């Protein structure tokens, strides 16, 4: 007869001990703050109590009962000691912690000796497993009892007694002084004073995740991060988790310094652009494969005209950025390199198009106002042009345009660069009935934070400090809120015809539409007419198709191409301007003579966003006559150029087309 099948008896000493043990278990589990620790507690208790469910002969029941009662009492004492260790010890000194650890070790050793005497040194395999888990718990809780902090930024000690720390260093705070200078100790044992605004609490969950690996057999093994090469990873997407745990958001440091308003965040769209080309125009200008991957979804040839088949999209609009007002400026500790707006198609959860950037014009006399499309005697650069377009074929009812106001900055003290979001605004393009909203000027409220979190104030000074609902107070309050003014318009007939030759989903500068449409014509000729069969996937020898998408991501080269195209197009006859064959040949000629040499010149610095020195050097090579690169200079012995690569002159359909 098994233990579980015994008839219920009157509550005795064994049941009383079991009940008390259950209560201790609940208290221990509540004190464990994170999920891994909770699982550890469950595993520890189940392994300690597993023998209570074993079968035993009836004749030996009384003896077994006494043995189990003694065992559970010993385990109860050990769990009480474990519960005490799990209590937070904020202001404990190093000597007290060491003595507590020694006392706990002596107590555990005495408990293990008592347990061995109770079972007459007859230890089973499960007893060995119990001891192993106990030892793991002792080491783990010793680590959890330490209150640790992370350094948000580098701090160099200026006076005797200060502790010099590096960004990301893990410190243990020994004493918290009221003047804001805390006594801390680093990993090497050095002690000193550190300003408290340079420190951030290191959460127990992050510390546990970096040391504990949950294996398939549900046993726990402590490992220092990163994993050893022989240890298989049991958590998916660990790289993402690691970045979330180890990376320190720059806004934490800047907020602690008071350098940015509370609504500023790390730029979401800038991070997407840094991940690769997935959210750039060079990706979206490429042909898109159909679901069967046997043809192209958005690139088709009209057999009657020999041109690209015109395709309408659900959204095809021109967007004009007028101005931004009441945008809170950053503090004096940051030097702003660029003020800009990034926008894209958005459905509330994901970005649906490429991300287009327009740089704002800043006037020091009005620091909270941004303007766009400044008046210039020459051609307006694409980066400053507020006249843009957007095409999107998504059927989402929440489809709209996401605007992110951002700055690129450099810290005066450290020279560190970064991108911050000053706020965001969302313009939903369809109403509840699925109809397109009226095309007019909209004044959008700029929210702080990110589109994925609850709405926050972009500037603390704009929050309402009272509960007054008067009309005058509301009007005054609305004038202090950050605003973005944009205008939606239908494209003109000529521009609409050119936009319909572009991919179903893309955004960009309106002044480049005619060049993008010609590139799509050349792309259709190479992919739909010149290929031997539609199944042929060989490299296509065409430098224009191979390199033009990269030019789209470099606004200064795109401006040079527009300038050369405008000058050469003025020499064409009126009939030639309407002949698509002449225009395609002219496109290739202008591009290869004026842009392609610059793209692969060894003297041309690599394109770097918001770097004034790099922009000046590139502009000198692009527009200066003495530095102009022509076909003759390329063939001269004194000219240096990049080493030849096959990708410069070959178009790879397999890597360019996307799904």
């Amino acid at each position: 007869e098994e233990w579980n099948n015994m008839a219920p008896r009157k509550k005795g000493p064994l049941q009383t001990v079991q009940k008390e043990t259950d209560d201790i278990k609940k208290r221990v589990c509540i004190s464990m703050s994170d999920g891994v620790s909770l699982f550890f507690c469950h595993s520890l208790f189940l392994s300690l109590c597993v023998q209570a469910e074993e079968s035993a002969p009836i004749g030996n029941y009384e003896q077994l009962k006494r043995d189990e009662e003694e065992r559970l009492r010993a385990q109860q004492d050990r769990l009480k000691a474990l519960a005490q260790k799990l209590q937070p010890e904020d202001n404990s000194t190093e000597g007290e912690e060491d003595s507590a650890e020694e006392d706990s070790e002596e107590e555990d050793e005495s408990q293990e000796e008592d347990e061995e005497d109770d079972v007459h040194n007859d230890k089973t395999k499960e007893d060995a497993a119990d001891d192993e888990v106990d030892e793991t718990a002792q080491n783990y809780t010793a680590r959890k009892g330490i209150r640790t902090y992370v350094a948000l930024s580098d701090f160099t000690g200026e006076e005797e007694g200060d502790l010099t720390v590096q960004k990301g260093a893990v410190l243990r705070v020994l004493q918290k002084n009221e003047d804001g200078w805390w006594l801390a100790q680093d990993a090497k044992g050095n002690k000193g004073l550190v300003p408290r605004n340079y420190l951030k609490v290191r959460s127990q969950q992050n510390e546990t995740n970096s040391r504990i690996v949950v294996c398939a057999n549900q046993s726990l093994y402590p490992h220092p991060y990163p994993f050893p090469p022989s240890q298989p990873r049991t958590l998916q997407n660990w790289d993402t988790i690691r970045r979330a745990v180890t990376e320190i958001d720059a806004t934490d440091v800047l907020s602690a310094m008071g350098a940015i308003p509370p609504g500023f965040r790390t730029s979401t769209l800038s991070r997407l652009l840094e991940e690769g080309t997935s959210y750039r125009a060079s990706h979206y200008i490429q042909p898109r494969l159909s679901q069967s991957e046997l043809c192209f979804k958005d690139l088709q040839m009209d057999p009657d005209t020999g041109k690209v088949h015109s395709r309408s999209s659900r959204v095809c609009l021109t967007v004009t950025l007028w101005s931004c007002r009441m945008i809170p400026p950053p503090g004096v500790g940051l030097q702003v390199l660029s003020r800009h707006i990034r926008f894209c198609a958005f459905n509330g959860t994901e970005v649906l198009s490429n991300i287009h950037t327009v740089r704002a014009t800043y006037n020091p006399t009005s620091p909270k106002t941004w303007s766009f499309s400044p008046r210039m005697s020459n051609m307006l650069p694409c980066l400053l042009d507020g006249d843009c377009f957007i095409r999107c074929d998504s059927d989402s009812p929440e489809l709209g345009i996401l605007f992110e106001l951002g700055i690129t900055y450099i810290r005066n003290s450290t020279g560190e660069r970064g991108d911050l979001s000053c706020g965001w605004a969302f313009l939903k393009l369809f109403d509840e009935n699925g109809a397109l909203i009226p095309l007019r000027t909209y004044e959008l409220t700029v929210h702080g934070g990110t589109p994925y979190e609850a709405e926050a104030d972009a500037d603390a000074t704009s929050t309402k400090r009272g509960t007054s609902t008067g009309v005058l107070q509301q009007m005054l309050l609305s004038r202090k809120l950050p605003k973005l003014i944009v205008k939606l318009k239908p494209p003109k007939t000529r521009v609409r015809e050119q936009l319909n030759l572009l991919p179903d989903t893309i955004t960009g500068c309106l002044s480049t539409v005619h060049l993008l449409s010609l590139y799509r014509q050349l792309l259709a000729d190479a992919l739909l007419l010149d290929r031997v069969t539609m199944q042929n996937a060989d490299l296509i020898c065409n430098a224009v198709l191979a390199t033009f998408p990269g030019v789209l991501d470099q606004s200064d080269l795109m401006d040079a191409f527009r300038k050369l195209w405008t000058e050469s197009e003025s020499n064409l006859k009126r009939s030639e301007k309407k002949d698509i064959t002449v225009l395609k040949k002219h496109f290739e000629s202008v591009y290869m003579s004026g842009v392609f040499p610059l793209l692969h010149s060894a003297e041309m610095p690599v394109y770097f966003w918001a770097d004034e020195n790099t922009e000046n050097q590139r502009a000198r090579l692009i527009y200066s006559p003495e530095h102009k690169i022509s076909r003759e200079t390329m063939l001269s012995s004194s000219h240096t150029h990049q080493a030849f690569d096959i990708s410069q002159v070959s178009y790879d359909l397999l890597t360019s087309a996307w799904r």
Side-chain angles (χ1 to χ4, degrees):
E1 186 174 357
E2 296 185 356
W3 184 282
N4 291 337
N5 295 331
M6 295 296 295
R9 295 173 178 267
K10 184 178 179 180
K11 182 179 294 186
L14 180 60
Q15 293 176 329
T16 302
V17 173
Q18 287 179 334
K19 183 177 183 300
E20 293 178 358
T21 306
D22 290 338
D23 294 338
I24 295 176
K25 171 190 172 183
K26 293 179 181 179
R27 288 161 50 193
V28 171
C29 293
I30 292 175
S31 64
M32 307 291 279
S33 60
D34 53 87
V36 175
S37 301
L38 183 61
F39 175 79
F40 177 84
C41 181
H42 280 287
S43 302
L44 175 62
F45 185 80
L46 291 176
S47 62
L48 293 175
C49 300
V50 67
Q51 291 186 357
E53 299 180 358
E54 291 182 352
S55 60
I58 297 179
N60 195 30
Y61 172 70
E62 294 298 332
Q63 180 64 31
L64 181 60
K65 178 179 178 180
R66 288 192 296 271
D67 294 342
E68 289 298 328
E69 181 177 355
E70 294 296 331
R71 171 182 285 275
L72 287 176
R73 287 191 182 277
Q75 293 172 357
Q76 180 183 5
D77 296 336
R78 292 155 64 187
L79 287 175
K80 286 181 179 179
L82 178 62
Q84 293 176 357
K85 291 181 182 180
L86 293 176
Q87 297 298 327
E89 300 177 5
D90 292 338
N91 298 324
S92 60
T93 61
E94 184 178 6
E96 295 175 349
E97 292 175 355
D98 294 339
S99 61
E101 291 178 0
E102 294 176 358
D103 295 340
S104 63
E105 290 177 357
E106 294 176 357
E107 182 179 356
D108 291 341
E109 291 177 357
S110 62
Q111 291 170 356
E112 290 178 359
E113 293 176 357
D114 296 339
E115 180 182 354
E116 291 177 356
D117 295 336
D118 293 338
V119 298
H120 306 289
N121 296 326
D122 185 13
K123 182 174 290 187
T124 62
K125 294 182 179 179
E126 294 180 352
D127 294 334
D130 294 343
D131 296 339
E132 182 179 355
V133 175
D134 295 339
E135 184 179 359
T136 303
Q138 181 178 356
N139 297 334
Y140 175 72
T141 53
R143 290 196 303 269
K144 292 288 286 186
I146 299 175
R147 188 69 168 180
T148 57
Y149 290 74
V150 178
L152 296 174
S153 180
D154 296 341
F155 172 73
T156 303
E158 299 178 354
E159 299 180 1
E160 184 179 359
D162 294 346
L163 178 63
T164 300
V165 297
Q166 302 294 328
K167 177 181 177 181
V170 179
L171 306 175
R172 183 173 62 179
V173 174
L174 305 179
Q175 184 179 354
K176 298 180 180 179
N177 301 324
E178 296 181 357
D179 59 357
W181 289 85
W182 290 358
L183 179 63
Q185 181 181 10
D186 59 14
K188 298 180 180 179
N190 301 322
K191 299 180 182 180
L193 297 176
V194 179
R196 67 179 182 181
N197 57 351
Y198 277 73
L199 302 179
K200 178 181 179 182
V201 177
R202 189 183 187 191
S203 64
Q204 294 180 355
Q205 180 177 3
N206 292 351
E207 186 175 358
T208 302
N209 289 342
S210 64
R211 289 180 170 88
I212 299 298
V213 182
V214 182
C215 297
N217 60 357
Q218 295 185 351
S219 61
L220 299 180
Y221 300 93
H223 282 294
Y225 180 80
F227 291 100
S230 59
Q231 174 66 43
R233 297 187 179 185
T234 59
L235 300 178
Q236 296 181 352
N237 298 327
W238 177 253
D239 290 338
T240 304
I241 299 175
R242 181 189 62 185
R243 288 195 298 268
V245 171
T246 58
E247 284 187 357
I248 301 176
D249 200 335
T251 56
D252 294 337
V253 181
L254 298 176
S255 297
M257 296 170 51
I260 59 175
F264 282 31
R265 296 290 188 274
T266 301
S267 176
T268 302
L269 298 187
S270 295
R271 284 188 173 183
L272 294 179
L273 289 175
E274 293 173 357
E275 291 178 357
T277 60
S278 300
Y279 295 97
R280 297 182 180 272
S282 58
H283 173 71
Y284 276 84
I285 196 63
Q286 300 289 1
R288 186 175 182 180
L289 295 175
S290 63
Q291 187 174 2
S292 64
E293 299 186 3
L294 298 177
C295 60
F296 301 110
K297 180 180 179 181
D298 58 358
L299 186 64
Q300 300 171 359
M301 187 71 72
D302 190 342
D304 297 332
T305 60
K307 301 179 181 179
V308 176
H309 181 68
S310 179
R311 291 175 55 89
S312 60
S313 187
R314 185 186 182 202
V315 174
C316 185
L317 302 172
T318 60
V319 181
T320 301
L321 304 177
W322 282 110
S323 64
C324 305
R325 69 186 187 204
M326 300 306 297
I327 306 300
V332 295
L334 302 181
Q335 177 186 353
V336 179
L337 304 178
S338 172
R339 294 172 174 83
H340 48 265
I341 285 184
R342 290 189 167 101
F343 73 92
C344 59
F346 190 68
N347 64 354
T349 57
E350 59 179 339
V351 175
L352 303 177
S353 70
N354 63 297
I355 301 171
H356 183 64
T357 304
V358 180
R359 183 173 291 176
T361 303
Y362 174 72
N363 187 357
T365 60
S366 182
K368 292 188 176 182
T369 301
W370 298 4
S371 58
F372 304 91
S373 301
R375 294 182 179 181
M376 302 183 66
S377 58
N378 298 325
M379 181 181 297
L380 182 65
C382 298
L383 190 59
L384 303 179
D385 195 348
D387 291 329
C388 311
F389 70 89
I390 181 170
R391 279 173 57 88
C392 187
D393 202 34
S394 173
D395 56 356
S396 173
E398 303 297 325
L399 178 62
I401 306 176
L402 174 65
F403 300 91
E404 183 188 74
L405 286 68
I407 62 171
T408 301
Y409 69 90
I410 183 171
R411 291 181 60 184
N412 296 331
S413 58
T414 63
E416 179 184 3
R417 285 173 54 102
D419 286 276
L420 290 176
S421 169
C422 305
W424 61 275
F426 180 70
L427 177 59
K428 188 178 178 182
L429 296 178
F430 295 90
D431 58 19
E432 297 178 355
N433 299 324
L436 187 67
I437 61 175
L439 303 183
R440 58 178 179 84
T441 302
Y442 288 89
E443 191 176 84
L444 307 176
T445 301
V446 178
H447 306 283
T450 68
Y452 300 102
E453 63 180 270
E455 294 182 2
D457 291 327
D459 189 1
T461 60
S462 64
T463 56
K464 185 168 59 176
R465 299 181 180 179
T467 57
S468 177
T469 57
V471 177
L472 180 60
Q473 288 82 356
Q474 293 294 335
M475 292 178 60
L476 294 176
L477 177 64
S478 63
R479 297 190 63 178
K480 295 182 179 180
L481 293 177
K483 297 287 186 178
L484 168 64
I485 303 175
V486 299
K487 184 176 182 180
L488 301 183
K489 297 183 296 183
K492 298 180 180 179
T493 304
R494 175 60 178 167
V495 176
R496 180 181 293 274
E497 293 177 355
Q498 295 173 344
L499 288 173
N500 288 339
L501 302 179
L502 301 185
D504 296 339
T505 300
I506 192 172
T507 64
C509 180
L510 195 62
S511 60
T512 63
V513 172
H514 60 295
L515 298 177
L516 299 181
S517 62
L518 286 175
Y519 174 77
R520 295 283 290 185
Q521 292 280 2
L522 295 173
L523 201 59
D525 291 345
L527 299 180
L528 302 179
L529 295 181
D530 299 340
R531 282 197 300 165
V532 179
T533 62
M534 294 302 296
Q535 289 75 29
N536 186 284
D538 294 339
L539 296 178
I540 300 175
C541 184
N542 193 313
V544 177
L545 299 184
T547 59
F548 179 78
V551 175
L552 283 179
D553 297 334
Q554 305 181 38
S555 60
D556 51 1
L557 287 183
M558 200 64 193
D559 293 334
F561 189 23
R562 289 172 51 219
K563 183 176 182 297
L564 293 173
W565 172 263
T566 302
E567 294 174 353
S568 60
E569 189 184 26
S570 61
N571 298 325
L572 296 178
K573 300 178 181 178
R574 182 177 299 179
S575 59
E576 293 176 339
K577 294 180 180 179
K578 298 180 180 179
D579 191 342
I580 188 62
T581 304
V582 175
L583 292 177
K584 288 188 292 186
K585 292 182 178 179
H586 196 63
F587 182 95
E588 292 179 329
S589 176
V590 173
Y591 180 85
M592 293 301 298
S593 62
V595 181
F596 185 79
L598 294 172
L599 188 62
H600 300 290
S601 172
E603 299 177 1
M604 177 72 73
V606 178
Y607 184 80
F608 192 62
W609 167 256
D611 185 84
E612 185 177 1
N613 293 332
T614 302
E615 291 176 353
N616 292 335
Q617 293 178 17
R618 290 173 63 91
R620 204 161 39 243
L621 290 173
I622 292 173
Y623 298 108
S624 179
E626 58 271 15
H627 293 93
K628 186 175 181 180
I629 302 176
S630 61
R631 191 172 304 176
E632 290 74 15
T633 57
M634 290 182 63
L635 297 177
S636 65
S637 59
S638 60
H639 177 71
T640 58
H641 53 81
Q642 296 179 2
F644 175 77
D645 188 89
I646 190 64
S647 61
Q648 299 177 7
V649 295
S650 60
Y651 179 80
D652 190 354
L653 173 62
L654 297 179
T655 59
S656 300
W658 59 291
R659 297 163 181 80

